[in-house]
Amino acid sequence: MEIPMREPGTSLRGYGGAANRLRTEFRQRMQRLRLASRVILVGLLISFAGILWLSQTSSIVALGYDMQKIDKRVIELNREAEVLQSQVAAFENPKRVEDEAKGKLGMVPATKYIYVKVPPSEVQTDENGRDNPKLYPVNNWWRELTEMLPRPWQNSAPSQKPVSNQGSGSNGQ
């Protein structure tokens, strides 16, 4: 089909109904093209929404399976913790401790007790005037205890050396 060309500024009136027919045919084609492009666009949007929905659904299902695995693992760990707690309770049983001490270590119940009188020491105070148990002076109560031991262990206490509060660079003077 040939489209008649016209000179700028002239009208197509001289061609009669052919020009109008061409115009309406062109408009119809453009409308069909617009309609087809809109249908394709709507189809693409629906496809995209479907793919998005499927991906989200599959992610939710996968996370659900992961949660089930984690819940099973929590149940397993709780059972193991209960077993371990029962074992600890069995090991802490005083009767069992006594049996182990007698059987494996050859220990016997004490028949003779030695009482040691420990002299009270003076309480040291910190800079705020409060008692500080970390500042208690050292006394030699352990020496008295070693003197009460049987003969081979007497005099086995370490010798007493003066304690220097000066830095490591001092020569003790």
Side-chain angles (χ1 to χ4, degrees), residues 47-61:
S47 298
F48 178 73
I51 290 172
L52 183 65
W53 180 77
L54 284 175
S55 68
Q56 288 179 347
T57 304
S58 65
S59 297
I60 289 171
V61 169

Side-chain angles (χ1 to χ4, degrees), residues 54-153:
L54 284 175
S55 68
Q56 288 179 347
T57 304
S58 65
S59 297
I60 289 171
V61 169
L63 289 173
Y65 286 131
D66 290 344
M67 285 178 58
Q68 286 179 349
K69 287 179 185 177
I70 290 171
D71 288 342
K72 287 180 182 178
R73 183 69 178 143
V74 165
I75 291 170
E76 282 179 26
L77 291 174
N78 284 337
R79 286 181 186 155
E80 287 179 24
E82 289 174 2
V83 168
L84 291 173
Q85 285 175 348
S86 67
Q87 288 177 352
V88 165
F91 284 125
E92 289 178 345
N93 184 359
K95 177 69 175 152
R96 184 192 169 283
V97 171
E98 183 180 352
D99 292 343
E100 290 286 325
K102 287 179 181 176
K104 290 185 179 178
L105 301 176
M107 300 175 96
V108 293
T111 57
K112 186 176 180 183
Y113 298 99
I114 301 173
Y115 294 98
V116 179
K117 189 172 189 176
V118 178
S121 57
E122 293 181 21
V123 177
Q124 299 289 326
T125 57
D126 60 7
E127 61 272 357
N128 296 329
R130 293 179 296 196
D131 292 345
N132 189 344
K134 293 181 182 177
L135 298 177
Y136 284 125
V138 178
N139 54 23
N140 293 328
W141 65 266
W142 49 271
R143 285 193 180 279
E144 294 175 19
L145 179 64
T146 56
E147 291 172 3
M148 293 180 193
L149 291 174
R151 190 85 176 141
W153 289 286

Side-chain angles (χ1 to χ4, degrees), residues 146 149 152-159:
T146 56
L149 291 174
W153 289 286
Q154 284 185 2
N155 301 325
S156 63
S159 61

Side-chain angles (χ1 to χ4, degrees), residues 9-25:
T10 62
S11 68
L12 294 175
R13 289 185 197 180
Y15 292 105
N20 286 337
R21 205 177 25 202
L22 285 175
R23 278 189 198 134
T24 57
E25 199 176 301

